[in-house]
Amino acid sequence: MHHKDNQDAHTKEYAARLDSQDPLRQLRNEFIIPTKADLKRKTLKKAINDGVPEEPCIYLCGNSTGLQPRRTLDRVSSHLSAWATKGALGHFTVHEDSSLPAFLHIDDVAAEQMAPIVGASRSEVAVMETLTANLHFLMASFYRPTKEKYKIILEGKAFPSDHYAVESQVRHHGLDPTSAMILISPSSGSPILTTSEILTTIATHASSAALIILPGIQYYTGQYFDIKTITAFAHSRGLLIGWDLAHAVGNVDVQLHDWNVDFAAWCNYKYMNSGPGAIGALFIHAMHGQVDMDAESRGEKGFQPRLSGWWGSNKATRFNMDNQFVPIPGAVGYQVSNPSALDMTALIASLEIFAMTSMFAIRTKSLSLTSYLEYLLLLDFFPVSSSSSCSSHSHSSEKPYSIITPSSPEERGAQLSIALLPGLLEGVMVELEGQGVVVDERKPDVVRVAPAPLYNTYGEVWEFVKIFRGACERVNGGKGAGGERVMVEGGKDEKGGWSEIK
């Protein structure tokens, strides 16, 4: 959407008008929006007359941890009641007054609901484990180094956990990471890694590479990689390719099956709103999920090698306890242990909300919402009141920040990464938190802002930009509020902070 084509696009009234026309506006009611009082309160229990207004905060941090759906408490309570009243029988019991399946089948239901969100068939998705664990399981299956082809191509600025996982897999095979890991970095001073740079690296190392691992959306810059084009090129060079979709699932409209992605993994606590550290999921294309036990009995390859566990074995024979592993066809055959039904229940609560709309509709709103954020941030001047005109403004045209996320809407998701001038980050974050704004940071100078289309509004984006630009101006002028911050001050020691949250 070209917001700049509207003469009043800089006004609060324009934002309100967009909200009134938003076809997804009712979905915001499905989520619990923390209040400014909630953010400041030192206890979970609300104090009577604590003097802090119960005004909703501006939460633009769904790229880190999504908000809690209102129905999560009900679904989790229902699961706990089933466990309390049935014990082990809950594995096989369906209750008339609950929408949840029996424990034994809850992973199947979650996978079925997840599949359309990633453009996959039901058999290509398994809800299991957590992101880095799933990357290890997938690399154990698809990274089969030989003397000639042993390298893994990955992004030079990959999220540390991805880098650690790849490096440990390389070491596990007795290889030297300095020669077996090919790190792709931008050739220019820009943090953006172009598609041509990726393809050139693949072409250069195709004869000695065994696997490619890339992020669907880069966590730091918010860049959305061209998954379809890169995957096709990798295949043309005879290479398998896997994707870390932590910042892509629930954010952009991926089509993993149609794009012939070999495998992918993701977490579900960001745009999927399933709670901190929630259970993850993986995708394995149907071409890799076939099972032929007759071929296996003849000593031929009957299925893709993997690290196996009993939850990936045939349900019909699982309880025979005969130690004969017969994998379930598809991604589910990669499951290892009995998954947490409690974690799965929280995920299902969110998946029910996604089922009320479509990824196409979510992405359509997201494109408009993030473009509006970009438009307001790039205005030479920004008015502070709804009656202000573009010739009457409150902030200097000299902006102490720049946007490092690609300007093309098709090359980004919901997130914009804003690079501040050196030395401003601490003060700006103090100002934002003081006014009830939740975003996250990446040292040394980047603020990540991600309007989530399921619950964020154009009005919130307008308010955020007003607060943010004012904060930048005050801190840059040496007039910041000062003080400690909840978001990072509590995580600067060995216990970690934002640095440990992707």
Side-chain angles (χ1 to χ4, degrees), residues 239-258:
L239 291 173
L240 295 171
I241 183 168
W243 295 88
D244 173 350
L245 300 180
H247 283 265
V249 172
N251 180 8
V252 292
D253 192 9
V254 295
Q255 299 295 323
L256 300 184
H257 178 85
D258 290 347

Side-chain angles (χ1 to χ4, degrees), residues 50-317:
D50 58 11
V52 183
E54 292 293 326
E55 179 184 354
C57 75
I58 298 175
Y59 192 90
L60 299 171
C61 205
N63 60 323
S64 181
T65 304
L67 290 180
Q68 183 182 131
R70 292 187 180 277
R71 63 184 62 208
T72 300
L73 180 60
D74 175 74
R75 299 298 183 270
V76 169
S77 295
S78 180
H79 166 72
L80 293 176
S81 294
W83 173 28
T85 59
K86 295 297 191 294
L89 297 182
H91 283 87
F92 317 104
T93 305
V94 175
H95 295 88
E96 295 178 356
D97 56 350
S98 172
S99 61
L100 296 174
F103 305 161
L104 182 63
H105 304 298
I106 195 167
D107 54 322
D108 294 328
V109 171
E112 183 176 4
Q113 294 177 343
M114 179 71 75
I117 295 173
V118 297
S121 67
R122 159 65 190 86
S123 65
E124 294 175 312
V125 174
V127 177
M128 56 181 279
E129 306 297 336
T130 51
L131 174 55
T132 304
N134 284 334
L135 285 175
H136 275 296
F137 284 122
L138 290 165
M139 284 188 283
S141 179
F142 290 97
Y143 178 48
R144 320 295 291 180
T146 65
K147 185 177 181 180
E148 294 77 23
K149 294 175 72 66
Y150 60 93
K151 296 177 182 176
I152 299 181
I153 299 172
L154 68 157
E155 181 203 0
K157 294 294 185 180
F159 187 73
S161 194
D162 289 18
H163 187 105
Y164 302 155
V166 170
E167 182 175 340
S168 63
Q169 287 284 331
V170 166
R171 292 184 185 278
H172 180 71
H173 286 278
L175 300 171
D176 183 356
T178 59
S179 59
M181 293 173 66
I182 303 302
L183 308 182
I184 315 174
S185 298
S187 57
S188 65
S190 167
I192 301 304
L193 190 58
T194 67
T195 299
S196 62
E197 289 171 329
I198 295 172
L199 301 187
T200 297
T201 302
I202 292 173
T204 300
H205 296 277
S207 63
S208 57
L211 187 64
I212 304 168
I213 301 283
L214 290 173
I217 291 182
Q218 215 280 341
Y219 80 98
Y220 184 80
T221 65
Q223 178 187 2
Y224 180 18
F225 288 164
D226 189 344
I227 298 175
K228 181 179 180 181
T229 297
I230 296 169
T231 297
F233 188 83
H235 289 168
S236 74
R237 294 300 190 273
L239 291 173
L240 295 171
I241 183 168
W243 295 88
D244 173 350
L245 300 180
H247 283 265
V249 172
N251 180 8
V252 292
D253 192 9
V254 295
Q255 299 295 323
L256 300 184
H257 178 85
D258 290 347
W259 295 346
N260 288 317
V261 166
D262 292 301
F263 63 88
W266 59 93
C267 55
N268 286 307
Y269 55 80
K270 301 181 187 302
Y271 298 98
M272 293 306 301
N273 312 304
S274 300
I279 195 166
L282 58 76
F283 164 91
I284 294 174
H285 198 281
M287 60 186 167
H288 300 302
Q290 303 301 315
V291 174
D292 185 347
M293 295 308 294
D294 290 336
E296 194 73 16
S297 66
R298 297 192 299 269
E300 302 171 7
K301 180 181 175 181
F303 53 87
Q304 183 72 20
R306 70 202 62 189
L307 297 179
S308 303
W310 83 313
W311 216 253
S313 63
N314 191 327
K315 275 190 175 184
T317 60

Side-chain angles (χ1 to χ4, degrees), residues 191 377-378 399-405 416-421 424 445-447 468 472:
L377 286 169
L378 294 180
K399 294 183 284 293
Y401 61 82
S402 61
I403 299 172
I404 63 173
T405 306
L416 290 185
S417 296
I418 307 169
L420 300 174
L421 291 179
L424 298 186
D445 303 306
V446 168
V447 176
F468 175 75
C472 289

